[in-house]
């Protein structure tokens, strides 16, 4: 989780355009939200990397994984009329479940990754 969140957080800053495109329009300025979510991902990665804050990082990462789910739904809606893009977006929806589970497991110290 630490590596995944760290890499994703960095990607938000190095190549923000793909992330901007999946921000639901009703949430506001996509670039601001892309940078903000990238910063939160880096913060979660940092918390997870440090043993004294790992549990807090697990809870924070769980909340983040749940919070970004609407962007995945928005992506499906946005690409509904493009079969290939729709299929990719639909395939991403269930992938969020193991990310939530892994984050929650770290928060509750139930995974080897949290040790």
């Amino acid at each position: 989780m630490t590596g995944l969140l760290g890499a994703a957080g960095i990607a938000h800053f190095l190549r923000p355009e793909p992330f901007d495109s999946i921000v639901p329009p009703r949430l506001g300025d996509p670039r601001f939200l892309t940078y903000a979510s990238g910063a939160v991902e880096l913060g979660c990665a940092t918390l997870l990397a440090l043993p004294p804050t790992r549990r807090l990082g697990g809870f924070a990462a769980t909340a983040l994984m749940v919070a970004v789910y609407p962007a995945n739904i928005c992506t499906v809606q946005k690409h509904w009329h493009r079969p290939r893009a729709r299929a990719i977006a639909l395939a991403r929806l269930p992938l969020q479940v193991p990310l939530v589970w892994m984050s929650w497991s770290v928060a509750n110290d139930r995974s080897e990754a949290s040790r």
Side-chain angles (χ1 to χ4, degrees), residues 32-94:
F32 171 78
L33 292 169
T34 292
Y35 287 155
S37 62
V40 170
E41 286 176 334
L42 290 171
C44 287
T46 301
L47 291 170
L48 288 167
L50 304 170
T53 59
R54 190 164 290 144
R55 182 174 164 86
L56 175 61
F59 284 122
T62 300
L64 176 64
M65 294 301 141
V66 171
V68 301
Y69 199 72
N72 294 340
I73 294 170
C74 183
T75 303
V76 171
Q77 292 170 333
K78 179 179 179 179
H79 297 298
W80 192 255
H81 299 292
R82 296 173 51 210
R84 185 171 188 276
R86 179 182 62 221
I88 292 167
L90 283 168
R92 287 183 60 187
L93 292 177

